[in-house]
Amino acid sequence: MTSSDPATFDRAISSPEDASTLEELGYTQELHRGIGGYAAFASGFSFVSILTTVFAFFPLGFSLGGPAFFWTWPIVFVCQFCVCLVFAELSGKFPVAGAIYQWSRRLAGNAVGWFAGWFMLIGYIVSIAALAIAMQTVLPPIWSGFQIVDGDMDPLSVTGAENGIILGSITIVLCTVISAVGVKFMGRITVTGVTIEIVGVVLIIGAMFFTAERGPVAAVADTGGHGSGLGYAGAFLASMLMAAYVMYGFDSAAELSEETRDPRKTAPKAIVNALLVSFVGGGLMIVAALMSAPDLGDDLATGGMAWIIESQLDTWLGKTLLALVAVAMFSATLAIQASASRVMFSMARDNRLPFGTLLSRVNKRTGTPVITGIAVSTLAILVLLVNIGQSSVFAAIASVSVVIVYIAYLMVTVPALLHRLRGTSLSYGPPVMDLGKWGIPVNIVAVVMGGLLVINIGWPRAEIYDVAGAGWYMQYFAVIFVALTLVVGYVAYRVVRHRDGAPDPVDALVGKRPSP
């Protein structure tokens, strides 16, 4: 039953009010709504997953910029919080699945919207693979039985890489099954995972502060021999990649808008809270690690937080904390898999993908886009296979996936800024969250700093893209990958651009309010 008539509507699917909101935006309610406020927050928070990402990328930031790399954390936050505020405003006005694709399309037209969705899909799929394969860094150290392939557990070794593919594939399959069962069940799993992750963050921060070797000022003031004054600028910019790799994905709460109850109010709060909590918790983790490390040298650069935990804590406690990290990784993989499948579903429903009719099907019993979930997971497992004997290539692809997502973000923030500057402010829908006079300055920061972050992340640094010294083509991998993504995307768009199916994107919904 998809009618929004209160007399006939099936409340097991959605409230008539939420279905009516979706109908205003051009779509019929098919997905079942089972996401509440905390579950929506959990979706965004688990995507950022500070217990996973800060844990994993701390060595990168430290090795590139020394302890003073901490100061990149608040700088990146300023940029991403402005992006977050623009997204939160849009999520209250356009609560539709496939958020980045839908917002961009409605602000800038079908062509820009299609490329935003295309970039998000690629970024999400690679992120699923990268996160799933990271299970190799935590599961075998917890219990040797997780090392299914005999040999070295090191993820960079041949046997470690092969085992990582197996563990990653199992993780992705489990996430696909959970996502297909139903949004309420998926929400419960995500909420449980995030609650455990928050407990883990508090425990790790507390344990490291308790074993502190130095004060906070001494911990964050040292450049680690990477220079001083302007001579430190290059290292500082490179180390900024750590924070940039962590602080994105908060928009995941909006990707599930069609499955969220009262999304106009729920999604904006979830997006903002997900980033704020991640910023505070992640910042405290970095400071605590720098204070607790036995020394601020090479061991910390290679071992990161895992080395601190193993050095400073009892073995049983260290394994417990690693288990919490594994739970956070699984929860994050689930959140990204769900977000990617909603983007694919939203584009397919608009007839903007090959096999759109098949990919846009919603299972009547579970109310979930099962086929898109399977498609996304299959593609992610194929990306995992790159890691066989090519771990440096896989690492480069994972890094580029962040560049891809940041470019997609610009495809929303730039058109939004243009609307504000023209005076056609984003006035559609009830003013659940409205930036008002702050809209233009916040949006300018989001665009300018977002563009600079794209350049910084994609800059051809050998220590990021060509660690093995393979050659210039690896050093310029980000530029090449983005160019190929654009070319392939252009060819694909030429095929689908004249298809019917999508509601009118621009002007009908931007710059005016619906009649009361």
Side-chain angles (χ1 to χ4, degrees), residues 5-27:
D5 182 355
T8 60
F9 196 79
D10 186 353
R11 288 184 177 272
I13 296 176
S14 170
S15 72
E17 295 78 16
D18 288 342
S20 178
T21 294
L22 185 61
E23 194 172 313
E24 273 181 28
L25 295 167
Y27 300 106

Side-chain angles (χ1 to χ4, degrees), residues 178-249:
I178 291 171
S179 181
V181 168
V183 71
K184 287 185 178 180
F185 180 66
M186 183 185 72
R188 292 191 194 103
I189 298 295
T190 304
V191 163
T192 301
V194 163
T195 302
I196 292 173
E197 178 173 1
I198 291 173
V199 171
V201 168
V202 172
L203 288 176
I204 287 179
I205 292 172
M208 289 193 292
F209 274 139
F210 184 75
T211 57
E213 300 278 347
R214 61 193 63 81
V217 176
V220 300
D222 184 5
T223 64
H226 292 280
S228 59
L230 292 177
Y232 179 59
F236 187 74
L237 288 172
S239 69
M240 193 177 289
L241 270 61
M242 180 270 175
Y245 284 0
V246 174
M247 276 190 269
Y248 78 100

Side-chain angles (χ1 to χ4, degrees), residues 312-380:
Q312 300 287 62
L313 304 178
D314 292 333
T315 301
W316 70 270
L317 183 56
K319 288 184 179 294
T320 299
L321 293 178
L322 287 176
L324 294 177
V325 173
V327 171
M329 285 183 176
F330 185 86
S331 180
T333 306
L334 176 60
I336 302 173
Q337 193 273 346
S339 296
S341 64
R342 272 54 178 182
V343 174
M344 183 178 284
F345 165 77
S346 189
M347 295 180 72
R349 178 176 58 183
D350 286 351
N351 204 16
R352 292 295 182 262
L353 290 176
F355 311 107
T357 302
L358 178 66
L359 292 172
S360 62
R361 287 181 185 171
V362 175
N363 184 284
K364 299 297 183 183
R365 185 177 63 83
T366 65
T368 56
V370 175
I371 296 175
T372 57
I374 294 172
V376 162
S377 297
T378 301
L379 292 171

